[in-house]
């Protein structure tokens, strides 16, 4: 079958995520037959470089031989088992490895099956902790402006991206929102660090004011992903940890997008030298293979739920597929690759190659900023470099970038007027150079007229 046959069958039955389906009248979906490394291939032999790791999940390439082998073994041993009352080797091994590699004190692992589900777990666990500890009034959450934490109702409530959230507002719990440390808004000449410190004053004030009623502060450490890859300095997290300790409020680190080396360290929190009360992980957790997420917390939280059954303090949250053995085995193989191949070190020259290759964008007449944190690099394009005036969203310049790049065999997915790269770590420096060249042409195409 060729592409067209799949496109027709797809249109008849599928409703795609995050998509105005009418767009597909003129912009057909791309049917993918197979993947290998950073490349995806359609049914007519066209190849696409996956510069965004298929929604930030893939770490070591499609059809990675090592992860494939682990999964084949697991498949012949145990495909799935209920995780309530039962356990299995893959779930235990992955939990042991996570406790070993995540920031200090995070010693208990709770499994879920998607990033949003992990956020639900962390929010509920924090709230429930305070209930069990007798602090019944601690029911609220503080979140940053421009944040994204998923799209189930609890996770959506702590998001602050209008276009995802507004329509559902009547369904959502109220959340206290604090301005983002997003350094795009810093003054000319001001450092990321100074701006992040300056912005933290509002966070500290809010925590101090609401400490009695707040269960937790939730943040995406260092990079607000879906919020157009806006970035800030680690000092913000260091200060936030101290304030949460001072005012007796939990800190939830949503490392679903930034965990597993994306920011240059295994976890973003490491750069601030902090350990959150809850860390949420997903996406790269299974190497980009299977749906899986976890929340890690420390013993003090765990102990607040640990009691005689009759006291009804247990944490009641479950998903049918939580801790799925195949997904966990992929997770174990993923962490083994990190450890055996010293990936965090190996990524340093790759991050540098990204920086070098994109240097010329800084002088582009339509580029307001090129920013980078580790293996995430973002290019913010504007209508007018001098005034900072943005292109109207209705013009859909991002779609033009997408279409142009796709026609050349590059999968980008700009968010608003921000093009970003978050490639699998198996990308080569030559592929980076090619990817950036195509992006340069795509940008020039998109800003015309
Ligand atoms: N938090 C962050 C920071 C994310 O980037 C995402 C997904 N893009 C989520 C939560 C939600 O994860 P999922 O899509 O797996 O529900």
């Amino acid at each position: 079958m060729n592409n067209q046959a799949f496109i027709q069958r797809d249109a008849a039955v599928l409703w795609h995520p995050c998509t105005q389906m009418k767009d597909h009248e003129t912009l057909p979906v791309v049917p993918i037959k197979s993947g290998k490394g950073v490349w995806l291939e359609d049914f007519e032999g066209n190849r696409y470089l996956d510069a965004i790791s298929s929604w930030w999940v893939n770490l070591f390439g499609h059809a990675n031989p090592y992860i494939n082998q682990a999964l084949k073994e697991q498949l012949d041993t145990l495909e799935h088992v209920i995780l309530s009352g039962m356990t299995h080797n893959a779930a235990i091994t992955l939990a042991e490895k996570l406790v070993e590699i995540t920031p200090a004190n995070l010693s208990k692992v709770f499994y879920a099956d998607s990033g949003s589900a992990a956020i639900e777990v962390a929010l509920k666990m924090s709230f429930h902790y305070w209930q069990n500890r007798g602090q019944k009034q601690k029911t609220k959450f503080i979140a940053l402006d421009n944040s994204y934490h998923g799209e189930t109702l609890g996770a959506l409530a702590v998001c602050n991206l209008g276009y995802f959230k507004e329509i559902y507002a009547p369904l959502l719990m109220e959340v206290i929102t604090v301005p983002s440390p997003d350094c795009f808004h810093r003054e000319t000449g001001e450092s990321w660090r100074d701006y992040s410190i300056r912005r933290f004053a509002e966070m500290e004030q809010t925590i101090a004011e609401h400490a009695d009623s707040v269960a937790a502060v939730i943040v995406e450490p260092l990079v607000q992903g879906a919020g157009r890859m806006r970035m800030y300095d680690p000092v913000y997290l260091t200060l936030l940890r101290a304030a949460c300790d001072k005012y007796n409020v939990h800190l939830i680190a949503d490392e679903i997008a930034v965990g597993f080396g994306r920011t240059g360290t295994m976890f973003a929190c490491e750069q601030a030298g902090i350990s959150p009360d809850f860390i949420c992980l997903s996406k790269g957790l299974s190497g980009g293979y299977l749906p899986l997420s976890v929340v890690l917390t420390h013993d003090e939280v765990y102990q607040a739920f640990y009691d005689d059954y009759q006291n009804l303090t247990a944490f009641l949250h479950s998903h049918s597929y939580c801790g799925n053995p195949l997904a966990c085995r992929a997770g174990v193989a993923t962490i083994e690759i990190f450890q055996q191949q010293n990936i965090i070190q190996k990524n340093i020259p790759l991050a540098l190659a990204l920086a070098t290759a994109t240097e010329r964008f800084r002088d582009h007449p339509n580029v307001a900023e090129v920013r980078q944190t580790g293996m995430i690099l973002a290019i913010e394009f504007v209508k007018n470099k001098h005034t900072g005036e943005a292109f109207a969203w209705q013009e859909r310049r991002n779609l033009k970038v997408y279409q142009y790049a796709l026609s050349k065999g590059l999968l980008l997915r700009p968010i608003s007027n921000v093009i970003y790269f978050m490639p699998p770590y198996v990308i080569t420096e030559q592929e980076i150079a090619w990817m950036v060249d195509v992006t340069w042409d795509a940008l020039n195409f998109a800003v015309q007229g």
Side-chain angles (χ1 to χ4, degrees):
M1 268 209 264
N2 60 10
N3 285 350
Q4 196 50 40
F6 285 99
I7 291 167
Q8 277 165 4
R9 283 172 57 200
D10 174 286
V13 289
L14 272 182
W15 189 343
H16 287 268
C18 208
T19 299
Q20 170 48 264
M21 291 301 292
K22 190 165 191 282
D23 279 356
H24 286 320
E25 287 179 8
T26 49
L27 181 68
V29 290
V30 184
I32 295 301
K33 178 179 169 199
S34 61
K36 187 74 198 142
V38 294
W39 295 96
L40 298 165
E41 192 172 324
D42 69 17
F43 287 84
E44 291 168 6
N46 302 306
R47 301 205 313 154
Y48 308 90
L49 190 151
D50 188 355
I52 55 162
S53 300
S54 284
W55 253 342
W56 324 342
V57 299
N58 190 289
L59 295 182
F60 299 122
H62 297 277
N64 179 282
Y66 188 79
I67 303 175
N68 282 5
Q69 186 54 38
L71 278 176
K72 284 174 187 164
E73 286 166 20
Q74 184 63 48
L75 195 58
D76 283 334
T77 316
L78 179 68
E79 84 300 339
H80 186 66
V81 64
I82 178 173
L83 199 64
S84 194
M86 298 275 152
T87 193
H88 58 86
N89 190 15
I92 298 169
T93 308
L94 180 58
E96 287 170 347
K97 285 190 175 293
L98 289 170
V99 168
E100 181 193 322
I101 65 172
T102 50
N105 299 327
L106 298 170
S107 57
K108 286 288 187 285
V109 178
F110 192 96
Y111 282 108
D113 57 7
S114 69
S116 302
I119 298 297
E120 302 289 340
V121 167
L123 297 174
K124 284 173 73 179
M125 232 183 224
S126 172
F127 162 84
H128 200 159
Y129 167 91
W130 297 113
Q131 297 296 303
N132 284 355
R133 286 278 185 245
Q135 302 224 37
K136 307 269 181 201
Q137 76 295 347
K138 279 168 96 63
T139 60
K140 296 208 169 79
F141 295 95
I142 297 176
L144 290 176
D145 197 15
N146 194 45
S147 59
Y148 179 92
H149 297 288
E151 289 163 54
T152 53
L153 294 180
L156 190 61
V158 288
C159 288
N160 278 296
L161 290 177
Y163 45 95
F164 282 107
K165 186 170 171 176
E166 260 157 32
I167 183 78
Y168 301 109
L171 307 181
L172 305 175
M173 68 174 166
E174 264 182 47
V175 162
I176 302 165
T177 304
V178 170
S180 167
D182 166 7
C183 287
F184 186 68
H185 298 297
R186 71 195 184 282
E187 298 293 325
T188 320
E190 192 177 21
S191 70
W192 280 26
R193 185 180 160 83
D194 287 347
Y195 184 72
S196 300
I197 293 173
R198 184 150 72 81
R199 270 278 106 100
F200 184 75
E202 290 140 320
M203 175 60 96
E204 170 120 45
Q205 202 186 349
T206 308
I207 297 176
E209 201 177 311
H210 299 279
D212 283 350
S213 60
V214 168
V217 177
I218 181 166
V219 294
E220 292 160 89
L222 301 188
V223 183
Q224 295 189 304
R228 294 160 292 161
M229 298 294 163
R230 293 291 177 83
M231 301 175 183
Y232 60 93
D233 191 274
V235 70
Y236 191 88
L237 299 171
T238 313
L239 295 170
L240 181 58
R241 176 69 276 182
C244 287
D245 285 343
K246 181 172 172 193
Y247 294 103
N248 215 17
V249 163
H250 285 146
L251 174 57
I252 302 173
D254 174 355
E255 294 224 17
I256 288 163
V258 296
F260 296 99
R262 294 290 186 195
T263 66
T265 44
M266 192 64 169
F267 298 102
C269 283
E270 288 170 34
Q271 295 183 39
I274 64 149
S275 184
D277 299 288
F278 303 91
I279 192 167
C280 301
L281 305 173
S282 187
K283 294 194 185 276
L285 173 63
S286 69
Y289 266 65
L290 287 155
L292 182 70
S293 64
V294 289
V295 177
L296 278 89
T297 189
H298 49 68
D299 203 49
E300 153 70 2
V301 169
Y302 181 74
Q303 290 304 330
F305 293 83
Y306 194 91
D307 204 347
D308 293 331
Y309 182 84
Q310 286 73 7
N311 291 332
L312 298 178
T313 56
F315 185 58
L316 299 183
H317 186 105
S318 51
H319 298 288
S320 310
Y321 283 103
C322 66
N324 171 261
L326 287 163
C328 287
R329 189 65 189 86
V332 172
T334 298
I335 296 176
E336 284 169 352
I337 295 175
F338 269 107
Q339 292 176 329
Q340 288 164 11
Q341 298 184 24
N342 207 0
I343 296 300
I344 298 296
Q345 285 301 314
K346 265 192 175 168
N347 280 353
I348 295 172
L350 281 182
L352 197 63
L354 272 175
T356 313
T358 50
E359 195 52 45
R360 64 182 147 148
F361 280 81
R362 294 180 189 275
D363 297 325
H364 190 285
N366 292 99
V367 170
E369 185 176 71
V370 179
R371 51 181 175 269
Q372 182 176 18
T373 300
M375 289 295 288
I376 307 173
L377 190 137
I379 298 163
E380 180 120 10
F381 64 92
V382 284
K383 187 169 182 181
N384 186 320
K385 193 181 181 90
H386 302 291
T387 62
E389 187 195 348
F391 284 110
W393 63 267
Q394 293 88 339
E395 294 175 16
R396 303 189 74 183
R397 304 274 173 167
N398 51 346
L399 195 63
K400 293 190 174 139
V401 173
Y402 169 82
Q403 278 178 287
Y404 182 92
L406 200 65
S407 74
K408 302 289 175 199
L410 174 64
L411 174 58
L412 294 174
R413 211 181 141 86
I415 307 173
S416 185
N417 292 335
V418 174
I419 303 169
Y420 69 90
F421 305 114
M422 208 197 278
Y425 305 154
V426 292
I427 194 167
T428 63
E429 294 194 18
Q430 289 78 2
E431 285 163 342
I432 288 178
W434 177 82
M435 170 179 87
V436 172
D437 279 349
V438 173
T439 305
W440 177 264
D441 295 340
L443 175 64
N444 285 327
F445 172 78
V447 297
Q448 282 166 17

